[in-house]
């Protein structure tokens, strides 16, 4: 059970619909042909509607993911069992908590970038067109401010799962629980600080 069941369902269906919309581009407008990073100006001048499907599909899926992140945060903060302090939570719960914080701060940057890309493509807004006063490097910054924490959004819950399974089969308590918690939080902090190495 989560704090907001309706938001949980809505987030799931937005995520699913966004993914379906993105993949419909294969059949309706040609696949997005600007790479997974969709760097400007390649993505702006990509012919067909593949990149449009990419931008809209990712925006819709991103809203679903953002709803899930908020829901997990509220659930972990407000619905823990009596006596379950933060430093007694299972490590999987900690990694889910940290991944949800990353979602909360990383996905809005991608949403803004996709919004600007959509306006450039559909309405000629010139946010990323250098010859018209725009700056294509802004897309790279917005994308990687999302894209680098995204790596940890994906891997941290898996690390939490391993941290729960291995002690069970080893029949030993997890060594260095407090250090693992602080390391997980530090990974999230550093994950935001180093987006520029993708530049």
């Amino acid at each position: 059970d989560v704090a907001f069941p309706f938001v949980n369902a809505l987030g799931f269906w937005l995520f699913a619909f966004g993914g379906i919309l993105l993949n419909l581009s294969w059949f309706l407008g040609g696949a997005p042909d600007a790479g997974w990073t969709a760097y400007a100006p390649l993505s702006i001048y990509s012919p067909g509607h593949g990149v449009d499907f990419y931008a809209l599909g990712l925006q819709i899926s991103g809203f679903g993911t953002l709803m899930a992140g908020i829901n997990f945060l509220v659930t972990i903060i407000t619905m823990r069992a009596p006596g379950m302090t933060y430093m007694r939570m299972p490590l999987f719960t900690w990694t889910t908590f940290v991944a949800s914080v990353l979602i909360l701060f990383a996905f809005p940057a991608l949403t803004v970038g996709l919004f600007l890309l959509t306006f450039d493509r559909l309405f000629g807004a010139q946010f990323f067109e250098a010859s018209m006063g725009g700056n294509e490097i802004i897309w790279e910054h917005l994308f990687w401010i999302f894209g680098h924490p995204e790596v940890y959004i994906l891997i941290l819950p898996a690390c939490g799962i391993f941290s729960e399974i291995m002690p069970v089969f080893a029949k030993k308590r997890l060594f260095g629980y407090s250090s693992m918690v602080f390391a997980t939080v530090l990974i999230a902090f550093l994950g935001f600080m180093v987006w520029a190495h993708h530049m």
Side-chain angles (χ1 to χ4, degrees), residues 102 105-106 141 144-150 152 185-199:
L102 287 171
F105 289 102
H141 280 295
W144 286 115
I145 287 170
F146 150 79
H148 194 84
E150 170 67 10
Y152 303 108
V185 173
L186 189 60
I187 285 170
F189 177 75
L190 292 175
F192 271 104
M193 298 300 109
V194 294
W195 87 89
H197 83 250
H198 288 281
M199 305 298 285

Short mmCIF file of all heavy atoms in Angstrom, two decimals, residues 102 105-106 141 144-150 152 185-199:
data_model
loop_
_atom_site.label_atom_id
_atom_site.label_comp_id
_atom_site.label_asym_id
_atom_site.label_seq_id
_atom_site.Cartn_x
_atom_site.Cartn_y
_atom_site.Cartn_z
N LEU A 102 15.93 11.78 -6.02
CA LEU A 102 16.57 12.08 -7.30
C LEU A 102 15.53 12.34 -8.39
O LEU A 102 15.68 13.26 -9.19
CB LEU A 102 17.49 10.93 -7.71
CG LEU A 102 18.79 10.79 -6.93
CD1 LEU A 102 19.50 9.49 -7.30
CD2 LEU A 102 19.70 11.97 -7.18
N PHE A 105 14.02 15.85 -8.18
CA PHE A 105 14.85 16.98 -8.62
C PHE A 105 15.36 16.84 -10.05
O PHE A 105 15.68 17.85 -10.69
CB PHE A 105 16.01 17.18 -7.65
CG PHE A 105 15.59 17.72 -6.33
CD1 PHE A 105 15.48 16.89 -5.22
CD2 PHE A 105 15.27 19.06 -6.18
CE1 PHE A 105 15.07 17.37 -3.99
CE2 PHE A 105 14.86 19.57 -4.96
CZ PHE A 105 14.76 18.72 -3.86
N ALA A 106 15.46 15.62 -10.58
CA ALA A 106 16.04 15.44 -11.91
C ALA A 106 15.01 15.55 -13.03
O ALA A 106 15.28 16.14 -14.08
CB ALA A 106 16.74 14.07 -11.99
N HIS A 141 22.93 20.74 -21.14
CA HIS A 141 22.90 20.93 -19.68
C HIS A 141 21.61 20.39 -19.08
O HIS A 141 21.64 19.63 -18.10
CB HIS A 141 23.05 22.41 -19.33
CG HIS A 141 24.46 22.90 -19.39
ND1 HIS A 141 25.45 22.47 -18.55
CD2 HIS A 141 25.05 23.82 -20.20
CE1 HIS A 141 26.58 23.07 -18.82
NE2 HIS A 141 26.37 23.91 -19.83
N TRP A 144 21.57 16.49 -19.26
CA TRP A 144 22.47 15.76 -18.37
C TRP A 144 22.24 16.08 -16.91
O TRP A 144 22.62 15.28 -16.04
CB TRP A 144 23.92 15.98 -18.79
CG TRP A 144 24.23 15.21 -20.04
CD1 TRP A 144 24.56 15.72 -21.25
CD2 TRP A 144 24.17 13.79 -20.19
NE1 TRP A 144 24.72 14.70 -22.16
CE2 TRP A 144 24.49 13.51 -21.54
CE3 TRP A 144 23.89 12.72 -19.34
CZ2 TRP A 144 24.53 12.21 -22.05
CZ3 TRP A 144 23.93 11.44 -19.85
CH2 TRP A 144 24.25 11.19 -21.18
N ILE A 145 21.63 17.21 -16.59
CA ILE A 145 21.22 17.44 -15.20
C ILE A 145 20.17 16.39 -14.82
O ILE A 145 20.07 15.98 -13.66
CB ILE A 145 20.72 18.88 -14.99
CG1 ILE A 145 21.90 19.84 -15.02
CG2 ILE A 145 19.95 19.03 -13.69
CD1 ILE A 145 21.53 21.29 -15.06
N PHE A 146 19.40 15.95 -15.81
CA PHE A 146 18.52 14.80 -15.60
C PHE A 146 19.28 13.49 -15.79
O PHE A 146 19.16 12.57 -14.98
CB PHE A 146 17.35 14.83 -16.60
CG PHE A 146 16.84 13.47 -16.97
CD1 PHE A 146 15.99 12.78 -16.12
CD2 PHE A 146 17.24 12.87 -18.15
CE1 PHE A 146 15.53 11.51 -16.45
CE2 PHE A 146 16.78 11.60 -18.49
CZ PHE A 146 15.93 10.92 -17.64
N GLY A 147 20.06 13.39 -16.85
CA GLY A 147 20.61 12.11 -17.31
C GLY A 147 21.62 11.50 -16.38
O GLY A 147 21.71 10.27 -16.28
N HIS A 148 22.40 12.33 -15.69
CA HIS A 148 23.37 11.70 -14.79
C HIS A 148 22.70 11.15 -13.53
O HIS A 148 22.95 10.00 -13.17
CB HIS A 148 24.50 12.65 -14.43
CG HIS A 148 25.65 11.92 -13.81
ND1 HIS A 148 26.62 11.28 -14.55
CD2 HIS A 148 25.93 11.66 -12.52
CE1 HIS A 148 27.47 10.67 -13.74
NE2 HIS A 148 27.07 10.89 -12.50
N PRO A 149 21.83 11.90 -12.85
CA PRO A 149 21.11 11.28 -11.72
C PRO A 149 20.25 10.09 -12.15
O PRO A 149 20.02 9.18 -11.35
CB PRO A 149 20.24 12.43 -11.19
CG PRO A 149 20.96 13.66 -11.58
CD PRO A 149 21.58 13.36 -12.91
N GLU A 150 19.79 10.08 -13.40
CA GLU A 150 18.97 8.97 -13.88
C GLU A 150 19.71 7.64 -13.74
O GLU A 150 19.10 6.61 -13.44
CB GLU A 150 18.58 9.20 -15.34
CG GLU A 150 17.93 8.03 -16.03
CD GLU A 150 16.57 7.67 -15.47
OE1 GLU A 150 16.02 8.42 -14.67
OE2 GLU A 150 16.05 6.60 -15.86
N TYR A 152 21.61 6.75 -11.37
CA TYR A 152 21.47 6.31 -9.98
C TYR A 152 20.01 6.01 -9.64
O TYR A 152 19.74 5.17 -8.77
CB TYR A 152 22.09 7.34 -9.05
CG TYR A 152 23.53 7.57 -9.41
CD1 TYR A 152 23.94 8.74 -10.02
CD2 TYR A 152 24.47 6.55 -9.23
CE1 TYR A 152 25.25 8.92 -10.40
CE2 TYR A 152 25.78 6.72 -9.61
CZ TYR A 152 26.17 7.90 -10.20
OH TYR A 152 27.47 8.06 -10.59
N VAL A 185 23.16 8.19 0.25
CA VAL A 185 22.78 9.61 0.23
C VAL A 185 23.87 10.42 -0.47
O VAL A 185 23.57 11.32 -1.27
CB VAL A 185 22.54 10.13 1.66
CG1 VAL A 185 22.32 11.63 1.67
CG2 VAL A 185 21.33 9.40 2.27
N LEU A 186 25.13 10.10 -0.23
CA LEU A 186 26.23 10.82 -0.86
C LEU A 186 26.25 10.58 -2.37
O LEU A 186 26.54 11.49 -3.15
CB LEU A 186 27.56 10.40 -0.23
CG LEU A 186 28.79 11.20 -0.64
CD1 LEU A 186 28.62 12.67 -0.28
CD2 LEU A 186 30.04 10.63 0.01
N ILE A 187 25.94 9.37 -2.79
CA ILE A 187 25.84 9.07 -4.23
C ILE A 187 24.81 9.99 -4.88
O ILE A 187 25.04 10.53 -5.97
CB ILE A 187 25.49 7.59 -4.46
CG1 ILE A 187 26.70 6.70 -4.20
CG2 ILE A 187 24.97 7.36 -5.87
CD1 ILE A 187 26.39 5.22 -4.16
N ALA A 188 23.68 10.17 -4.22
CA ALA A 188 22.64 11.05 -4.77
C ALA A 188 23.14 12.47 -4.88
O ALA A 188 22.94 13.14 -5.91
CB ALA A 188 21.39 11.00 -3.89
N PHE A 189 23.82 12.96 -3.85
CA PHE A 189 24.33 14.32 -3.88
C PHE A 189 25.37 14.49 -4.98
O PHE A 189 25.29 15.42 -5.80
CB PHE A 189 24.94 14.67 -2.52
CG PHE A 189 25.55 16.04 -2.47
CD1 PHE A 189 24.76 17.17 -2.41
CD2 PHE A 189 26.93 16.18 -2.48
CE1 PHE A 189 25.32 18.43 -2.38
CE2 PHE A 189 27.50 17.45 -2.45
CZ PHE A 189 26.70 18.57 -2.40
N LEU A 190 26.33 13.58 -5.04
CA LEU A 190 27.38 13.69 -6.07
C LEU A 190 26.84 13.47 -7.47
O LEU A 190 27.36 14.02 -8.44
CB LEU A 190 28.50 12.68 -5.77
CG LEU A 190 29.31 12.95 -4.50
CD1 LEU A 190 30.29 11.82 -4.25
CD2 LEU A 190 30.03 14.28 -4.60
N GLY A 191 25.77 12.67 -7.58
CA GLY A 191 25.16 12.43 -8.88
C GLY A 191 24.67 13.70 -9.56
O GLY A 191 24.67 13.80 -10.78
N PHE A 192 24.28 14.68 -8.77
CA PHE A 192 23.86 15.96 -9.33
C PHE A 192 25.04 16.88 -9.63
O PHE A 192 24.96 17.75 -10.48
CB PHE A 192 22.90 16.69 -8.38
CG PHE A 192 21.48 16.34 -8.61
CD1 PHE A 192 20.82 15.49 -7.75
CD2 PHE A 192 20.79 16.85 -9.70
CE1 PHE A 192 19.49 15.16 -7.96
CE2 PHE A 192 19.47 16.51 -9.92
CZ PHE A 192 18.83 15.66 -9.05
N MET A 193 26.13 16.67 -8.93
CA MET A 193 27.25 17.60 -9.05
C MET A 193 28.11 17.37 -10.28
O MET A 193 28.87 18.24 -10.66
CB MET A 193 28.15 17.51 -7.80
CG MET A 193 27.45 17.87 -6.50
SD MET A 193 26.81 19.56 -6.50
CE MET A 193 25.06 19.29 -6.60
N VAL A 194 27.99 16.21 -10.90
CA VAL A 194 28.98 15.85 -11.93
C VAL A 194 28.35 15.70 -13.32
O VAL A 194 28.90 15.03 -14.16
CB VAL A 194 29.73 14.57 -11.54
CG1 VAL A 194 30.58 14.81 -10.31
CG2 VAL A 194 28.78 13.41 -11.30
N TRP A 195 27.20 16.36 -13.55
CA TRP A 195 26.60 16.24 -14.86
C TRP A 195 27.53 16.76 -15.95
O TRP A 195 27.52 16.29 -17.08
CB TRP A 195 25.26 16.98 -14.92
CG TRP A 195 25.37 18.43 -15.27
CD1 TRP A 195 25.36 18.97 -16.53
CD2 TRP A 195 25.55 19.53 -14.37
NE1 TRP A 195 25.51 20.33 -16.46
CE2 TRP A 195 25.64 20.70 -15.14
CE3 TRP A 195 25.64 19.63 -12.99
CZ2 TRP A 195 25.81 21.95 -14.58
CZ3 TRP A 195 25.81 20.88 -12.43
CH2 TRP A 195 25.89 22.01 -13.21
N ALA A 196 28.39 17.72 -15.60
CA ALA A 196 29.22 18.39 -16.61
C ALA A 196 30.23 17.45 -17.25
O ALA A 196 30.74 17.74 -18.32
CB ALA A 196 29.92 19.59 -16.01
N HIS A 197 30.54 16.31 -16.63
CA HIS A 197 31.52 15.43 -17.27
C HIS A 197 30.93 14.80 -18.53
O HIS A 197 31.68 14.28 -19.36
CB HIS A 197 32.04 14.37 -16.29
CG HIS A 197 31.19 13.16 -16.13
ND1 HIS A 197 30.49 12.89 -14.98
CD2 HIS A 197 30.95 12.11 -16.94
CE1 HIS A 197 29.86 11.75 -15.09
NE2 HIS A 197 30.11 11.25 -16.29
N HIS A 198 29.62 14.87 -18.73
CA HIS A 198 29.02 14.41 -19.99
C HIS A 198 29.15 15.46 -21.08
O HIS A 198 28.92 15.16 -22.24
CB HIS A 198 27.55 14.09 -19.79
CG HIS A 198 27.32 12.86 -19.00
ND1 HIS A 198 27.43 11.61 -19.54
CD2 HIS A 198 26.99 12.67 -17.69
CE1 HIS A 198 27.19 10.70 -18.61
NE2 HIS A 198 26.91 11.33 -17.48
N MET A 199 29.48 16.67 -20.69
CA MET A 199 29.58 17.75 -21.68
C MET A 199 30.86 17.58 -22.49
O MET A 199 31.14 18.23 -23.42
CB MET A 199 29.54 19.09 -21.00
CG MET A 199 28.33 19.32 -20.10
SD MET A 199 26.77 19.27 -20.97
CE MET A 199 26.81 20.84 -21.80
#
